[in-house]
Amino acid sequence: AHDNGFVHRDLKPSNILITKEGQPLITDFGLAKEAGASLDLTRSGMMVGTPSYMSPEQAGGRKELLGPATDIYSLGAMLYFTLTGRPPLVAETPVELVMLVIEQDPSPPRALRPSLDRDLEMIVVRCLQKPIDLRYSSAAQLAKDLEAFLADEAVSASSGRFAQVIARIFRETHHAGVLE
């Protein structure tokens, strides 16, 4: 979809089907939007998506920022759920959840599952960055890192500038007492 200029905007577990051969299929393109299209059939100011898997730019109504990184965030949220058994952020109401998505970073996955491999955690955390430029730039780049992880090779999420940013976030989160 991204290669053809479309952003799904509602990636969540119920929109992913697995074939008998184990091939994933993405369904429900009802909220999909062509990148850069001026026509938007949703009401002005209306938030679209599922809060538990929604990117910060979606939650904040920042339509001009919607792009592949929006779906990367959602993929990271699904991976977080798969690895920890819960969504990245949890709240009592949808409105509270939307505010958390905008304002708060999720607990690192290893805070909930200490045995989780650090490289896999870094992949998830990179997907869930609030600044779009710190996320993977494409689904292909995310897939490449996941394939490298599965092949026990170095992943880009644990190297360079990104690793320094994440180390700072982990320190701040730990010192602030946010870790569960």
Side-chain angles (χ1 to χ4, degrees):
H2 293 167
D3 289 345
N4 290 308
F6 288 91
V7 180
H8 191 281
R9 300 195 306 172
D10 195 26
L11 288 174
K12 58 187 175 184
S14 63
N15 287 342
I16 309 293
L17 302 177
I18 308 295
T19 67
K20 291 178 187 177
E21 296 78 27
Q23 188 72 11
L25 299 173
I26 298 173
T27 65
D28 192 2
F29 280 79
L31 295 180
K33 181 175 177 159
E34 188 172 3
S38 58
L39 177 64
D40 191 354
L41 299 177
T42 58
R43 284 184 277 153
S44 179
M46 186 174 137
M47 183 175 44
V48 295
T50 303
S52 292
Y53 302 96
M54 183 180 292
S55 69
E57 58 273 15
Q58 280 178 285
R62 310 260 334 257
K63 291 181 183 182
E64 74 279 6
L65 297 178
L66 298 183
T70 302
D71 288 343
I72 299 298
Y73 186 96
S74 299
L75 290 168
M78 286 191 289
L79 187 54
Y80 189 105
F81 182 89
T82 301
L83 297 171
T84 67
R86 65 161 240 205
L89 297 162
V90 179
E92 300 262 335
T93 68
V95 172
E96 289 173 335
L97 183 54
V98 166
M99 293 309 297
L100 289 177
V101 170
I102 294 169
E103 298 173 354
Q104 186 175 319
D105 289 313
S107 295
R110 287 171 41 94
L112 302 172
R113 188 172 161 208
S115 63
L116 189 66
D117 185 278
R118 285 186 191 277
D119 283 345
L120 188 54
E121 177 182 54
M122 293 295 281
I123 291 170
V124 173
V125 170
R126 184 169 184 182
C127 290
L128 295 176
Q129 289 300 294
K130 298 227 183 286
I132 292 170
D133 64 328
L134 292 180
R135 293 183 214 151
Y136 290 97
S137 61
S138 69
Q141 188 184 30
L142 168 58
K144 184 177 177 182
D145 246 8
L146 287 169
E147 290 167 359
F149 170 77
L150 291 172
D152 201 26
E153 298 170 356
V155 299
S156 69
S158 62
S159 62
R161 174 179 165 240
F162 183 72
Q164 294 171 352
V165 170
I166 296 307
R168 178 188 51 77
I169 291 169
F170 285 165
R171 281 193 306 274
E172 289 172 3
T173 305
H174 179 69
H175 291 303
V178 174
L179 290 179
E180 297 178 34

